[in-house]
Amino acid sequence: MPRWFKITVVTVLVLANLTALAVLWAVRTGQDFLAVAATDRDVTEVLDERSGNELTFLLVGSDTRDGLDDLENFGNFGGARADVIMLVRVGGESSIIQMLSVPRDLWVDIPGSSANRINAAYAIGGSRKLVETVRENLDIEVNHYIEIDFVGFQGLIDELGGVQLDLPYPARDEKSGLDVPAGRQTVDGETALAYARSRHYEEYQDGRWTFVDANDLGRTTRQQTVMRAMFAKLKSPSSLADAGSITGALAKYMTVDSRLAGASVASMAWDFRGVLTGDMAGSTLPVSARNIGGREVLVQRQPEADEMLSRFRSGRELRSQATRIELFNPSGPVSFGFSGFGQVLAWSTDSR
């Protein structure tokens, strides 16, 4: 047989065995992973059945302060709202995890209720109402639901031994408690949470503090940065070696739908087989600022929003495109345009 044919056969056999070993590893080290997580049975009734080879997760960060020590920086507000809303799409053979952040101030129609900001859907009807609202307004199927609160987020980062951030300038947010130097560094759960929640983000540039992406849109970019840092840490050799203990530890901070909790670990390993060698790609739903009934909200900016949602549904690249945010005031609209993937223009119409 020719040499190229022998090499091809051996390569295929090696890859097949690696895949089988990966599934076996998942079964042996992670079989109790989801059993540790809290289960949300109510949300399962409104989740979509899988229609293709991909899975779409609705990842929600609740802003409940229960169990949080640092109430000075995060406030002591009652109840719970969806502070982070992110759609995560994973394909079995795809090596790219797609993340689409949905701004919490997005103005939507909430099924069975009146129009409101999308994070209000969670306050009105919990996880079930939020899933229904996402599906009705964004036309995206949701197969699984994962929720984590402030305390869980901190604990999850700390279980990983911190995550690495690379900051071009010293940064702070006096409201969230963020205060970090420039450069590449490993941050703990408390600092990562302050960074991911920052809405008054400042960088020390040219001898003075300057607001940079100091808004909800900028915050979604920082949330995706932390998600990528977590993913990179989970893929590191030391994390993979400790996979069994880490997966069990992480699960205790999560609430998942009952269908996910009861999923076969072997089948999940197969669904995620391309992920360990790939990367994360993220973007934020294109929006414009509006004042509706005296409330500062965000609305989908068309046709860019429809184009991005279409790309997300089909698994295509969430490519860079020109971005425009309109600020309305009594003297008329003011528009700013800029281009670039992941860039966000800082804007504010009040002191929030």
Side-chain angles (χ1 to χ4, degrees), residues 80-136:
R81 289 151 294 277
D83 195 61
V84 177
I85 303 172
M86 188 180 296
L87 289 158
V88 180
R89 187 176 185 276
V90 179
E93 296 181 358
S94 175
S95 60
I96 300 295
I97 296 178
Q98 286 186 310
M99 297 184 296
L100 180 61
S101 292
V102 182
R104 67 176 193 171
D105 287 341
L106 183 69
W107 192 252
V108 296
D109 292 320
I110 298 178
S113 184
S114 57
N116 207 328
R117 295 186 178 100
I118 193 168
N119 71 332
Y122 185 92
I124 292 171
S127 56
R128 184 185 184 112
K129 185 63 67 176
L130 182 58
V131 168
E132 292 175 337
T133 301
V134 167
R135 181 168 52 231
E136 180 170 308

Side-chain angles (χ1 to χ4, degrees), residues 168-195:
Y169 301 98
R172 73 178 186 185
D173 184 331
E174 295 179 332
K175 292 187 178 295
S176 74
L178 178 69
D179 186 6
V180 288
R184 182 171 295 178
Q185 56 203 286
T186 298
V187 300
D188 61 11
E190 184 177 356
T191 302
L193 177 60
Y195 176 81

